[in-house]
Amino acid sequence: MVLQVTNSPFNEEQVDLLNRLLPGLNDSQRVWLSGYLTALLGTTAVEAAPIASAAAGQTATVSTADFAMLTASEPSSAVQAGAPASKEVTVLYGSQTGNAKGLAQQLSSRLEGEGFQVTTVSMGDLKPNQLKKMERLLLLVSTHGEGEPPDAAISFYEFLHSKRAPKLEGLEFSVLALGDTSYEFFCQTGKDFDQRLEELGGKRIVERADCDVDFDEAAAEWMNQVLAALNAGHATTAGGAVHVSTSQIAGDQTGGNSSAYSRTNPFQAEILENLNLNGRGSKRETRHIELSLEGSGLQYQPGDCLAIYPENHPQLVTDILEAMGWSGQETVTINKNGEQRSVGDALLTHYEITVLTKPLLTQAAALTGNARLQELVQPGHEAELKSYLNGRDLLDLIQDFSLKGHSAQEITALLRKIPPRQYSISSSPTAYPEEVHITVRTVNYESYGRERYGVCSTQLAQRAEVGEHLPVYIQQNDQFRLPEHPDTPIIMIGPGTGVAPFRAFLGEREETGATGKSWLFYGDQHFTTDFLYQIEWQRWLKDGVLTRMDVAFSRDTTEKVYVQHRMLEHSRELFAWLEEGAVVYVCGDEKRMAHDVQATLLQIIEREGALNAEQAGQYLAGMHQEKRYLRDVY
């Protein structure tokens, strides 16, 4: 591979040194040198592409003196004009479950390694007046629920989309958006930020990247593009953004956990206990799972989550193989590294087969040429598509649109990797060293004429025996932490399995001797069969670890009573706790419970504080800003 340079400040000897240097560089170094020379000489002066695509595996030895001579010539006016005034970069993240934060930390580490001065900050901690002082902004954000910003990003999101947002003509930015293609508004928050920053005058460093649940490769590519562009002095194409060939970065960032085990390298945790917490006769099944972390080095805090890579239900895999006419032994390639497995094993352990997404149907329509399927994914059919995607799986797609006849490789190439399932940890690490406990409600129901199963919950309930192992890692959640001061009062609202992190909170407070008052609102269907961890709450009440507890069992009374009704019954005292500085925690279902609880909180604040609706909203927003209103909802 020979570098061709024309009209350059390099002499023939220096060009010869460049060509001796190229084969010894790795992908990242070649990308950097390509961008550097583009900025140095101008896009028309150097054919830089060969640098980024030079053949790997060759070697060359270049001395320090050689390299010094290579760069000894006076910089051209193009460099002087295009060089950045500083190397300051702000990495701003909005994270709900910790993924955006972990990627932000990873990016910051790489930037610092390249000599940049990096400020890494959560959107929840950013002061609005800091924005107009920034020169380069790298924004990483997830989308929560149906296109909503993460809780920690709400204030900044609203500010940026308000009339108070400043003009940002001097800002260079790029956005990494995290989302889930099974939701209608995929990566919507990242798209909103990207569009708004441009509207305010910002210029993109590289184009926005939208990442699905299996985000590692897409995030790595975006990071490499950003680093190459910044190192090249922001040399741009005619379209205003740098486009550089990239390679996947190595390693994984765990957000501060020093263990070698992580999202890309899960720990095989032994199951120590697997119990059903519901009493005989209950319509529900809730598993209490205890796992050993011995030897893993994994550490967690109350409020964190345990992520599990599950296996699909064997019956669903069997039904898919039968519907496609496959034996299950056909070989398929499952990743870019060329790893191969039997299709039966791949469907069981590697691919997501219980959720349909728009990209999946779009690809299936292109593959099959099925007229009905092609029509379904066309513009104008959004409502029909949304209805079809809801509650259906790969077997439905195969049967409804006659996919039989296509090869195992063709079909599996359409599927995304099965994402981990995350569960709020229900144990205190101080009370249970080298163990982690989770509380999981089993999901199974009938839909479209078939029995449906929650992937991980059913595996834990039916097929996870004591002594077996599960692939796990810790997902940190810094947005859901106990107060820094142990005398701070806490109010915990968690019906059903939403009570899990509060078992961890009280266990930790008992072990550390925290003196702050605590109040738990808990609810479920029936007192006699569904009162999860009843004995432990009673013991903590007796010992003073839990100050008070109010319960609501919705099916034990003629009129259904939920936790928000208990909150209203005690609104005066609850508001008094808020005035004392209590931190409010909400955990559980976002679509119904969390919205109802928030509406009730606003009602209580308005009534007991003698405020109007706007003032009550400001009161709750202030609590959120002070990290006194924290939610772990799903």
Side-chain angles (χ1 to χ4, degrees):
M1 194 65 65
V2 178
L3 176 69
Q4 301 294 327
V5 182
T6 59
N7 300 322
S8 80
F10 296 140
N11 58 36
E12 291 184 6
E13 185 177 11
Q14 291 169 331
V15 172
D16 179 62
L17 286 173
L18 273 172
N19 284 314
R20 289 164 54 195
L21 172 67
L22 295 181
L25 301 180
N26 60 33
D27 288 346
S28 296
Q29 291 167 331
R30 285 195 294 274
V31 168
W32 182 92
L33 187 56
S34 174
Y36 177 81
L37 290 176
T38 300
L40 180 68
L41 304 174
T43 56
T44 61
V46 56
E47 297 176 11
I51 299 176
S53 59
Q58 303 175 31
T59 58
T61 303
V62 180
S63 68
T64 304
D66 285 340
F67 190 79
M69 183 167 63
L70 172 67
T71 58
S73 61
E74 288 293 324
S76 68
S77 60
V79 167
Q80 294 171 344
S86 73
K87 298 195 75 174
E88 295 181 357
V89 180
T90 299
V91 176
L92 181 65
Y93 64 89
S95 188
Q96 189 73 29
T97 63
N99 288 328
K101 179 184 178 182
L103 289 171
Q105 291 173 328
Q106 177 177 302
L107 175 61
S108 299
S109 178
R110 295 190 67 195
L111 286 164
E112 290 171 351
E114 297 283 349
F116 288 92
Q117 300 168 6
V118 185
T119 300
T120 307
V121 61
S122 167
M123 292 181 187
D125 297 327
L126 183 73
K127 296 180 180 178
N129 62 1
Q130 294 175 311
L131 183 61
K132 59 185 178 182
K133 300 176 184 178
M134 297 178 186
E135 296 179 12
R136 295 169 202 87
L137 172 64
L138 302 176
L139 189 151
L140 302 87
V141 67
S142 61
T143 294
H144 186 53
E146 295 294 340
E148 300 171 2
D151 284 0
I154 292 174
S155 294
F156 178 65
Y157 181 92
E158 292 176 346
F159 166 76
L160 199 69
H161 287 80
S162 73
K163 294 181 180 180
R164 297 183 295 119
K167 296 297 182 181
L168 300 172
E169 287 89 350
L171 179 71
E172 294 178 306
F173 73 93
S174 186
V175 174
L176 179 72
L178 301 180
D180 184 338
T181 51
S182 65
Y183 285 85
E184 181 179 2
F185 300 102
F186 171 61
C187 284
Q188 188 61 51
T189 301
K191 293 174 182 177
D192 291 346
F193 274 123
D194 185 61
Q195 178 180 344
R196 184 57 174 161
L197 289 171
E198 182 183 41
E199 290 173 352
L200 294 171
K203 306 298 181 184
R204 290 185 184 85
I205 299 170
V206 301
E207 296 294 335
R208 185 190 75 246
D210 297 336
C211 303
D212 201 359
V213 289
D214 186 22
F215 55 75
D216 298 275
E217 289 187 6
E221 183 175 348
W222 177 81
M223 287 188 196
N224 282 345
Q225 288 186 11
V226 165
L227 284 162
L230 292 176
N231 278 322
H234 310 298
T236 60
T237 66
V242 173
H243 297 277
V244 189
S245 60
T246 60
S247 62
Q248 185 179 358
I249 56 176
D252 181 62
Q253 184 74 19
T254 60
N257 205 315
S258 60
S259 172
Y261 297 101
S262 63
R263 184 177 185 274
T264 54
N265 182 34
F267 174 68
Q268 294 292 330
E270 182 181 356
I271 301 172
L272 302 176
E273 193 67 83
N274 187 343
L275 302 172
N276 182 11
L277 295 175
N278 294 95
R280 185 177 300 175
S282 175
K283 295 180 180 179
R284 298 185 164 187
E285 180 181 25
T286 310
R287 310 302 298 192
H288 171 79
I289 314 288
E290 300 182 2
L291 299 162
S292 172
L293 297 179
E294 185 175 359
S296 70
L298 289 172
Q299 299 177 355
Y300 66 90
Q301 298 181 52
D304 286 341
C305 295
L306 183 75
I308 302 175
Y309 281 103
E311 292 185 358
N312 288 306
H313 199 289
Q315 186 59 54
L316 179 58
V317 173
T318 299
D319 291 344
I320 290 172
L321 294 174
E322 182 178 332
M324 290 300 299
W326 299 333
S327 69
Q329 298 306 311
E330 295 86 350
T331 300
V332 294
T333 302
I334 65 170
N335 55 36
K336 293 181 179 180
N337 296 327
E339 182 183 351
Q340 294 186 328
R341 295 188 192 176
S342 71
V343 66
D345 180 58
L347 292 175
L348 182 67
T349 64
H350 185 76
Y351 289 116
E352 181 167 72
I353 60 176
T354 60
V355 175
L356 298 181
T357 66
K358 182 179 179 179
L360 169 58
L361 264 66
T362 301
Q363 294 177 73
L367 172 67
T368 64
N370 184 288
R372 289 195 304 124
L373 186 54
Q374 289 179 332
E375 181 181 5
L376 185 61
V377 298
Q378 290 301 310
H381 296 267
E382 287 81 7
E384 185 182 356
L385 175 62
K386 182 179 179 181
S387 175
Y388 183 79
L389 294 175
N390 184 32
R392 287 186 169 90
D393 58 26
L394 181 60
L395 181 58
D396 292 308
L397 182 65
I398 291 169
Q399 294 174 335
D400 293 344
F401 297 100
S402 305
L403 268 60
K404 186 175 182 179
H406 291 278
S407 71
Q409 186 63 63
E410 286 177 319
I411 297 300
T412 56
L414 309 179
L415 305 177
R416 66 180 185 177
K417 185 178 177 181
I418 189 170
R421 270 51 174 182
Q422 297 182 11
Y423 299 101
S424 299
I425 293 174
S426 55
S427 57
S428 156
T430 308
Y432 297 96
E434 296 195 306
E435 286 186 20
V436 62
H437 303 172
I438 55 175
T439 310
V440 182
R441 180 150 289 163
T442 307
V443 176
N444 53 67
Y445 57 96
E446 186 173 324
S447 177
Y448 304 110
R450 282 200 289 119
E451 186 76 11
R452 313 281 169 154
Y453 308 95
V455 176
C456 194
S457 67
T458 304
Q459 178 186 355
L460 293 175
Q462 297 181 358
R463 308 190 305 277
E465 302 291 340
V466 171
E468 295 181 352
H469 294 76
L470 295 170
V472 307
Y473 65 93
I474 300 297
Q475 182 69 60
Q476 293 186 322
N477 184 5
D478 290 337
Q479 305 301 320
F480 206 73
R481 290 278 184 255
L482 280 167
E484 180 180 351
H485 301 291
D487 58 347
T488 301
I490 60 174
I491 299 171
M492 302 165 287
I493 305 165
T497 56
V499 82
F502 306 136
R503 179 178 183 263
F505 279 13
L506 292 178
E508 187 74 6
R509 280 200 150 196
E510 179 180 39
E511 292 293 321
T512 58
T515 56
K517 297 188 297 182
S518 58
W519 189 349
L520 175 63
F521 288 92
Y522 170 76
D524 215 311
Q525 289 190 349
H526 298 285
F527 173 85
T528 56
T529 60
D530 305 320
F531 199 164
L532 307 183
Y533 301 116
Q534 178 184 1
I535 294 176
E536 293 186 61
W537 308 128
Q538 290 174 335
R539 179 176 65 80
W540 278 325
L541 281 167
K542 178 182 177 182
D543 295 344
V545 176
L546 180 59
T547 307
R548 66 175 297 172
M549 182 177 188
D550 285 278
V551 297
F553 293 98
S554 60
R555 303 302 193 272
D556 284 346
T557 53
T558 305
E559 185 176 349
K560 292 181 180 178
V561 178
Y562 298 108
V563 289
Q564 61 267 27
H565 299 124
R566 298 300 185 214
M567 293 166 61
L568 278 173
E569 289 174 6
H570 304 286
S571 62
R572 182 174 297 179
E573 188 170 2
L574 195 152
F575 184 73
W577 280 50
L578 298 185
E579 290 288 272
E580 293 174 24
V583 180
V584 176
Y585 300 90
V586 182
C587 183
D589 171 61
E590 183 203 21
K591 292 183 179 179
R592 294 180 297 273
M593 182 278 296
H595 284 279
D596 291 342
V597 165
Q598 179 159 310
T600 301
L601 273 174
L602 287 168
Q603 184 179 350
I604 290 171
I605 292 167
E606 183 177 350
R607 183 170 71 187
E608 303 299 339
L611 306 173
N612 60 36
E614 182 179 356
Q615 291 170 329
Q618 292 172 347
Y619 187 104
L620 191 60
M623 287 182 57
H624 190 280
Q625 196 69 26
E626 297 167 5
K627 302 186 187 306
R628 292 181 47 226
Y629 177 47
L630 305 176
R631 306 192 312 160
D632 180 12
V633 296
Y634 38 84

